[in-house]
Amino acid sequence: MMRLLPFLLASLIACAAPVDDGSCAEWPADATPADGVVDETCGWFTLPVGDHLYANVYIVEPESPCDVVLGPGLVLNSSPIYSAMSNDAPKWTVDVVAEAPGEALLVDVACEDGTRWQARVDVE
């Protein structure tokens, strides 16, 4: 039973509702359409149901693992993809799909190297 405790704890954390912990000092006043791949943290985007939000999360330490927690109505399309090209900094690309309508749904990516990337999504 003791061996299962860390696994169960990690599972609960991964399934927990995202918390807007104030990592973003200021959010945009209005949501804008997500157009292409977004890099900047603290953006607020609109997506129709079924569309994708592609986010590049640049990290400080190569291969630093990250946890992704999503608001209700948002799901990961696949596991985040890591890349470290010679012409670009190390990053994880996260593919989030809008499945159900909602407002200001949080996408929260927290990495072991201290990187924090967040966005709000309005799903129409």
Side-chain angles (χ1 to χ4, degrees), residues 6-123:
F7 174 75
L8 291 173
L9 216 84
S11 297
L12 288 174
I13 291 169
C15 294
V19 176
D20 187 349
D21 68 350
S23 294
C24 295
E26 190 173 318
W27 292 96
D30 297 308
T32 58
D35 196 20
V37 179
V38 297
D39 295 324
E40 302 83 25
T41 189
C42 302
W44 191 356
F45 306 100
T46 58
L47 289 175
V49 170
D51 272 12
H52 296 248
L53 173 69
Y54 300 101
N56 284 332
V57 179
Y58 287 93
I59 54 179
V60 177
E61 304 224 358
E63 298 185 39
S64 179
C66 302
D67 291 320
V68 180
V69 181
L70 304 171
L74 300 174
V75 296
L76 281 177
N77 186 47
S78 61
S79 296
I81 298 169
Y82 177 77
S83 63
M85 309 284 284
S86 61
N87 61 347
D88 200 7
K91 67 183 176 193
W92 289 97
T93 301
V94 179
D95 179 2
V96 176
V97 180
E99 282 200 330
E103 293 183 7
L105 305 174
L106 192 63
V107 177
D108 189 2
V109 182
C111 305
E112 283 186 11
D113 69 356
T115 300
R116 189 72 178 267
W117 189 97
Q118 291 182 319
R120 288 181 176 167
V121 179
D122 288 351
V123 180

